[in-house]
Amino acid sequence: MFFNKNDKIEKVDKILTNEAFEELQVDFADINLAIESGDHFEVHYHGTEDKQPVVTQNEQQLRLKQPETDRKNGRFWQKGLFKIEVVTSSDVGKVKITIPKDHHLREAYIGLASGDTKMRDINIDELEFGSASGDLKIDKLNVNKLSLSIVSGDAKLDQVKIDSGNADLTSGNFILKNSQIMKILAVTTVSGDNLIENVEVDQCDLTTLSGDNTIFGGNATHAQIGKETNGSHLKMSAVSGDNTVK
């Protein structure tokens, strides 16, 4: 027999705040996050009442923190010592943050223990993202300083303009497409592949201990793409995986 852990927990669907902010700080345990442009400021939450994030707004900074709880998502079946956990998409809460289009955030710190993150059409001076388990997907991002750290999950970036930054993945793939690197981007993966496709960069350095390095279909470790020797620079390093530049 299945038991629903959420039977006695009310679900809510509400706007947490619509106040303007310049800095964003997010601390979630197991909530999915979406940040996208719109015509106004808004933070919307859909999920169980006991996991509704606490909102703290001080001057120009917005903080969202998921309260601590021992309850996990989903349903379970148990007979004696045997237990089976089943988690569906409807069991996981979601926060959607809307920022006015063309508004420029000064800083965003996002930390997730478990949950997927999507970002679309955002302008940020400095973005720091950390996740223990979950995928990151970014479409249309302008960022001066980027720092990504993912333990288990993939990072997929499309139409991104990066001044400088780094991406560190332990177990997962890194994909960057249709983008522009202004100064330097360093990508490191332990177990996973790195793919760069249709990205404006002057120089590439690829290293791997167990895998292949490919630039424009040929095996290589270094390539000068542009004419300027002091132009933008891409470094990719993998312990077990392939580095590919197309």
Side-chain angles (χ1 to χ4, degrees):
M1 180 177 180
F2 276 99
F3 301 90
N4 192 341
K5 296 182 180 181
N6 299 333
D7 282 341
K8 297 182 180 180
I9 305 296
E10 296 291 334
K11 287 194 174 182
V12 296
D13 190 354
K14 62 189 296 186
I15 296 174
L16 303 182
T17 181
N18 54 14
E19 296 294 327
F21 59 91
E22 300 292 334
E23 300 177 1
L24 175 65
Q25 183 172 335
V26 176
D27 185 1
F28 289 165
D30 55 3
I31 295 177
N32 291 333
L33 175 65
I35 305 175
E36 60 184 50
S37 64
D39 57 5
H40 63 289
F41 284 97
E42 183 179 282
V43 178
H44 181 270
Y45 171 69
H46 176 80
T48 57
E49 188 176 29
D50 64 328
K51 294 188 177 183
Q52 176 179 313
V54 177
V55 177
T56 304
Q57 206 143 7
N58 182 13
E59 296 181 350
Q60 298 298 315
Q61 185 183 73
L62 172 65
R63 295 183 180 181
L64 302 173
K65 181 176 177 59
Q66 181 179 341
E68 295 183 2
T69 175
D70 294 332
R71 189 182 63 81
K72 296 182 179 180
N73 294 312
R75 302 167 181 263
F76 70 91
W77 175 91
Q78 184 168 359
K79 185 176 181 180
L81 298 176
F82 296 96
K83 183 169 71 172
I84 300 175
E85 302 249 1
V86 179
V87 179
T88 65
S89 58
S90 61
D91 297 319
V92 181
K94 178 180 179 180
V95 167
K96 178 182 177 182
I97 301 175
T98 304
I99 301 171
K101 188 175 179 63
D102 297 329
H103 180 78
H104 208 107
L105 292 182
R106 285 198 300 262
E107 180 181 287
Y109 169 78
I110 301 172
L112 291 86
S114 173
D116 297 331
T117 301
K118 295 181 180 180
M119 303 179 67
R120 182 174 63 85
D121 203 9
I122 303 297
N123 300 303
I124 305 177
D125 284 339
E126 183 174 348
L127 171 61
E128 183 177 346
F129 177 88
S131 173
S133 176
D135 296 330
L136 171 64
K137 183 178 181 181
I138 297 179
D139 293 308
K140 294 183 180 180
L141 173 71
N142 289 328
V143 58
N144 293 336
K145 185 177 180 181
L146 176 69
S147 178
L148 305 180
S149 178
I150 301 176
V151 177
S152 177
D154 298 330
K156 298 180 180 180
L157 287 64
D158 192 4
Q159 300 183 66
V160 175
K161 184 177 180 180
I162 305 169
D163 194 40
S164 62
N166 63 276
D168 299 313
L169 288 78
T170 301
S171 176
N173 300 322
F174 178 84
I175 299 175
L176 178 64
K177 295 184 177 182
N178 308 312
S179 300
Q180 184 178 11
I181 300 171
M182 304 304 295
K183 292 182 180 178
I184 185 169
L185 175 65
V187 180
T188 303
T189 58
V190 176
S191 177
D193 298 330
N194 298 318
L195 172 63
I196 306 298
E197 184 175 340
N198 192 30
V199 173
E200 293 183 29
V201 63
D202 295 315
Q203 300 176 67
C204 294
D205 286 308
L206 315 181
T207 59
T208 180
L209 294 181
S210 177
D212 296 325
N213 295 315
T214 305
I215 297 180
F216 304 132
N219 294 332
T221 58
H222 175 80
Q224 183 179 318
I225 300 172
K227 296 181 179 180
E228 296 183 7
T229 57
N230 295 322
S232 58
H233 200 174
L234 168 66
K235 294 182 178 181
M236 291 198 297
S237 175
V239 176
S240 178
D242 299 333
N243 294 316
T244 304
V245 178
K246 295 184 178 181

CSV table of all heavy atoms in Angstrom, one decimal, residues 92-122:
chain,number,residue,atom,x,y,z
A,92,VAL,N,7.3,18.1,-6.3
A,92,VAL,CA,8.5,19.0,-6.1
A,92,VAL,C,8.0,20.5,-6.2
A,92,VAL,O,7.3,20.8,-7.2
A,92,VAL,CB,9.6,18.8,-7.1
A,92,VAL,CG1,10.7,19.7,-6.9
A,92,VAL,CG2,10.0,17.3,-7.0
A,93,GLY,N,8.3,21.3,-5.3
A,93,GLY,CA,7.9,22.7,-5.3
A,93,GLY,C,8.7,23.5,-6.4
A,93,GLY,O,9.8,23.1,-6.8
A,94,LYS,N,8.2,24.7,-6.8
A,94,LYS,CA,8.8,25.5,-7.8
A,94,LYS,C,8.7,26.9,-7.4
A,94,LYS,O,7.6,27.4,-7.0
A,94,LYS,CB,8.2,25.2,-9.1
A,94,LYS,CG,8.8,26.1,-10.2
A,94,LYS,CD,8.2,25.8,-11.6
A,94,LYS,CE,8.8,26.7,-12.7
A,94,LYS,NZ,8.2,26.4,-14.0
A,95,VAL,N,9.8,27.6,-7.6
A,95,VAL,CA,9.8,29.1,-7.4
A,95,VAL,C,10.2,29.7,-8.8
A,95,VAL,O,11.1,29.3,-9.4
A,95,VAL,CB,10.8,29.5,-6.4
A,95,VAL,CG1,11.1,31.1,-6.4
A,95,VAL,CG2,10.3,29.2,-5.0
A,96,LYS,N,9.4,30.7,-9.2
A,96,LYS,CA,9.6,31.4,-10.4
A,96,LYS,C,9.9,32.9,-10.1
A,96,LYS,O,9.0,33.5,-9.5
A,96,LYS,CB,8.4,31.3,-11.4
A,96,LYS,CG,8.6,32.1,-12.7
A,96,LYS,CD,7.4,31.9,-13.6
A,96,LYS,CE,7.5,32.8,-14.8
A,96,LYS,NZ,6.3,32.7,-15.7
A,97,ILE,N,11.0,33.4,-10.4
A,97,ILE,CA,11.4,34.8,-10.2
A,97,ILE,C,11.4,35.5,-11.5
A,97,ILE,O,12.1,35.1,-12.4
A,97,ILE,CB,12.8,34.8,-9.5
A,97,ILE,CG1,12.9,34.1,-8.2
A,97,ILE,CG2,13.2,36.3,-9.3
A,97,ILE,CD1,14.2,34.0,-7.6
A,98,THR,N,10.6,36.5,-11.6
A,98,THR,CA,10.5,37.4,-12.8
A,98,THR,C,11.2,38.7,-12.5
A,98,THR,O,11.0,39.3,-11.5
A,98,THR,CB,9.0,37.6,-13.1
A,98,THR,OG1,8.3,36.4,-13.3
A,98,THR,CG2,8.9,38.4,-14.4
A,99,ILE,N,12.0,39.1,-13.5
A,99,ILE,CA,12.8,40.3,-13.4
A,99,ILE,C,12.4,41.1,-14.7
A,99,ILE,O,12.4,40.6,-15.8
A,99,ILE,CB,14.3,40.1,-13.3
A,99,ILE,CG1,14.6,39.2,-12.1
A,99,ILE,CG2,15.1,41.4,-13.3
A,99,ILE,CD1,16.0,38.7,-12.0
A,100,PRO,N,12.2,42.4,-14.5
A,100,PRO,CA,11.9,43.2,-15.7
A,100,PRO,C,13.0,43.1,-16.8
A,100,PRO,O,14.1,43.1,-16.5
A,100,PRO,CB,11.8,44.7,-15.2
A,100,PRO,CG,11.4,44.5,-13.8
A,100,PRO,CD,12.1,43.2,-13.3
A,101,LYS,N,12.5,43.0,-18.0
A,101,LYS,CA,13.5,42.8,-19.1
A,101,LYS,C,14.4,44.0,-19.2
A,101,LYS,O,13.9,45.2,-19.0
A,101,LYS,CB,12.7,42.7,-20.5
A,101,LYS,CG,13.6,42.3,-21.7
A,101,LYS,CD,12.7,42.0,-22.9
A,101,LYS,CE,13.6,41.7,-24.1
A,101,LYS,NZ,14.4,40.5,-23.9
A,102,ASP,N,15.7,43.8,-19.4
A,102,ASP,CA,16.7,44.8,-19.5
A,102,ASP,C,17.1,45.4,-18.2
A,102,ASP,O,18.0,46.2,-18.1
A,102,ASP,CB,16.3,46.0,-20.4
A,102,ASP,CG,16.1,45.5,-21.9
A,102,ASP,OD1,16.7,44.6,-22.3
A,102,ASP,OD2,15.2,46.1,-22.6
A,103,HIS,N,16.5,44.9,-17.1
A,103,HIS,CA,17.0,45.3,-15.7
A,103,HIS,C,18.3,44.6,-15.4
A,103,HIS,O,18.4,43.4,-15.7
A,103,HIS,CB,15.9,45.0,-14.7
A,103,HIS,CG,16.4,45.3,-13.3
A,103,HIS,ND1,16.3,46.6,-12.8
A,103,HIS,CD2,16.9,44.6,-12.3
A,103,HIS,CE1,16.8,46.7,-11.6
A,103,HIS,NE2,17.1,45.5,-11.2
A,104,HIS,N,19.2,45.3,-14.9
A,104,HIS,CA,20.6,44.7,-14.7
A,104,HIS,C,20.8,44.5,-13.2
A,104,HIS,O,20.8,45.4,-12.4
A,104,HIS,CB,21.6,45.7,-15.2
A,104,HIS,CG,22.9,45.0,-15.6
A,104,HIS,ND1,23.3,44.9,-16.9
A,104,HIS,CD2,23.9,44.4,-14.9
A,104,HIS,CE1,24.4,44.3,-17.0
A,104,HIS,NE2,24.8,44.0,-15.8
A,105,LEU,N,20.9,43.2,-12.8
A,105,LEU,CA,21.1,42.8,-11.4
A,105,LEU,C,22.6,43.0,-11.1
A,105,LEU,O,23.5,42.7,-11.9
A,105,LEU,CB,20.8,41.4,-11.1
A,105,LEU,CG,19.3,41.0,-11.1
A,105,LEU,CD1,19.1,39.5,-10.7
A,105,LEU,CD2,18.5,41.9,-10.1
A,106,ARG,N,22.9,43.5,-9.9
A,106,ARG,CA,24.3,43.6,-9.5
A,106,ARG,C,25.0,42.3,-9.1
A,106,ARG,O,26.1,42.0,-9.5
A,106,ARG,CB,24.4,44.6,-8.3
A,106,ARG,CG,24.3,46.0,-8.6
A,106,ARG,CD,24.8,46.9,-7.5
A,106,ARG,NE,24.1,46.7,-6.3
A,106,ARG,CZ,23.1,47.4,-5.8
A,106,ARG,NH1,22.7,48.4,-6.5
A,106,ARG,NH2,22.6,47.1,-4.6
A,107,GLU,N,24.2,41.5,-8.4
A,107,GLU,CA,24.8,40.2,-7.9
A,107,GLU,C,23.7,39.2,-7.7
A,107,GLU,O,22.5,39.5,-7.3
A,107,GLU,CB,25.5,40.5,-6.6
A,107,GLU,CG,26.1,39.4,-5.9
A,107,GLU,CD,26.8,39.8,-4.6
A,107,GLU,OE1,27.9,40.4,-4.7
A,107,GLU,OE2,26.3,39.4,-3.6
A,108,ALA,N,24.0,37.9,-8.0
A,108,ALA,CA,23.1,36.8,-7.7
A,108,ALA,C,23.8,35.6,-7.1
A,108,ALA,O,24.8,35.2,-7.8
A,108,ALA,CB,22.3,36.4,-8.9
A,109,TYR,N,23.5,35.2,-5.9
A,109,TYR,CA,24.0,34.0,-5.4
A,109,TYR,C,22.9,32.9,-5.3
A,109,TYR,O,21.9,33.2,-4.6
A,109,TYR,CB,24.7,34.2,-4.0
A,109,TYR,CG,25.0,32.9,-3.3
A,109,TYR,CD1,26.2,32.2,-3.7
A,109,TYR,CD2,24.2,32.3,-2.3
A,109,TYR,CE1,26.5,31.0,-3.1
A,109,TYR,CE2,24.5,31.1,-1.7
A,109,TYR,CZ,25.6,30.4,-2.1
A,109,TYR,OH,25.9,29.2,-1.5
A,110,ILE,N,23.1,31.8,-5.9
A,110,ILE,CA,22.1,30.7,-5.9
A,110,ILE,C,22.7,29.4,-5.4
A,110,ILE,O,23.7,28.9,-6.0
A,110,ILE,CB,21.5,30.5,-7.3
A,110,ILE,CG1,20.9,31.8,-7.8
A,110,ILE,CG2,20.5,29.4,-7.3
A,110,ILE,CD1,20.5,31.8,-9.3
A,111,GLY,N,22.2,28.9,-4.3
A,111,GLY,CA,22.7,27.6,-3.8
A,111,GLY,C,21.5,26.6,-3.6
A,111,GLY,O,20.5,27.0,-3.0
A,112,LEU,N,21.7,25.5,-4.2
A,112,LEU,CA,20.7,24.4,-4.2
A,112,LEU,C,21.3,23.1,-3.8
A,112,LEU,O,22.4,22.7,-4.3
A,112,LEU,CB,20.0,24.2,-5.5
A,112,LEU,CG,19.0,25.3,-6.0
A,112,LEU,CD1,19.8,26.4,-6.8
A,112,LEU,CD2,18.0,24.8,-6.9
A,113,ALA,N,20.6,22.4,-2.8
A,113,ALA,CA,21.1,21.1,-2.5
A,113,ALA,C,20.6,20.1,-3.5
A,113,ALA,O,21.3,19.2,-4.0
A,113,ALA,CB,20.6,20.7,-1.1
A,114,SER,N,19.3,20.2,-3.9
A,114,SER,CA,18.7,19.3,-4.9
A,114,SER,C,17.6,20.1,-5.6
A,114,SER,O,16.7,20.6,-5.0
A,114,SER,CB,18.1,18.1,-4.2
A,114,SER,OG,17.4,17.3,-5.1
A,115,GLY,N,17.7,20.1,-6.9
A,115,GLY,CA,16.7,20.8,-7.7
A,115,GLY,C,17.3,21.3,-9.0
A,115,GLY,O,18.5,21.6,-9.1
A,116,ASP,N,16.4,21.5,-10.0
A,116,ASP,CA,16.9,22.0,-11.3
A,116,ASP,C,16.7,23.5,-11.4
A,116,ASP,O,15.8,24.1,-10.7
A,116,ASP,CB,16.1,21.3,-12.4
A,116,ASP,CG,16.3,19.8,-12.5
A,116,ASP,OD1,17.4,19.4,-12.1
A,116,ASP,OD2,15.4,19.1,-12.9
A,117,THR,N,17.5,24.2,-12.2
A,117,THR,CA,17.5,25.6,-12.3
A,117,THR,C,17.4,26.0,-13.8
A,117,THR,O,18.2,25.5,-14.6
A,117,THR,CB,18.7,26.3,-11.6
A,117,THR,OG1,18.7,25.9,-10.3
A,117,THR,CG2,18.6,27.8,-11.8
A,118,LYS,N,16.5,26.9,-14.1
A,118,LYS,CA,16.4,27.5,-15.4
A,118,LYS,C,16.5,29.0,-15.4
A,118,LYS,O,15.9,29.6,-14.5
A,118,LYS,CB,15.1,27.0,-16.1
A,118,LYS,CG,15.0,25.6,-16.4
A,118,LYS,CD,13.7,25.2,-17.1
A,118,LYS,CE,13.6,23.7,-17.4
A,118,LYS,NZ,12.3,23.4,-18.1
A,119,MET,N,17.3,29.6,-16.2
A,119,MET,CA,17.5,31.0,-16.3
A,119,MET,C,17.3,31.5,-17.8
A,119,MET,O,17.9,30.8,-18.7
A,119,MET,CB,18.8,31.5,-15.8
A,119,MET,CG,19.1,31.1,-14.3
A,119,MET,SD,20.7,31.6,-13.7
A,119,MET,CE,20.4,33.4,-13.7
A,120,ARG,N,16.6,32.5,-18.0
A,120,ARG,CA,16.3,33.0,-19.4
A,120,ARG,C,16.3,34.5,-19.5
A,120,ARG,O,15.5,35.1,-18.7
A,120,ARG,CB,15.0,32.4,-19.9
A,120,ARG,CG,14.7,32.7,-21.3
A,120,ARG,CD,13.5,32.0,-21.8
A,120,ARG,NE,12.3,32.4,-21.1
A,120,ARG,CZ,11.5,33.5,-21.4
A,120,ARG,NH1,11.9,34.3,-22.4
A,120,ARG,NH2,10.5,33.8,-20.7
A,121,ASP,N,17.1,35.0,-20.4
A,121,ASP,CA,17.1,36.4,-20.7
A,121,ASP,C,17.3,37.3,-19.5
A,121,ASP,O,16.5,38.2,-19.2
A,121,ASP,CB,15.7,36.8,-21.4
A,121,ASP,CG,15.8,38.0,-22.3
A,121,ASP,OD1,17.0,38.5,-22.5
A,121,ASP,OD2,14.8,38.5,-22.7
A,122,ILE,N,18.5,37.2,-18.9
A,122,ILE,CA,18.8,37.9,-17.7
A,122,ILE,C,20.2,38.6,-17.8
A,122,ILE,O,21.1,38.1,-18.5
A,122,ILE,CB,18.9,36.9,-16.4
A,122,ILE,CG1,17.6,36.1,-16.3
A,122,ILE,CG2,19.3,37.7,-15.2
A,122,ILE,CD1,16.4,37.0,-16.0
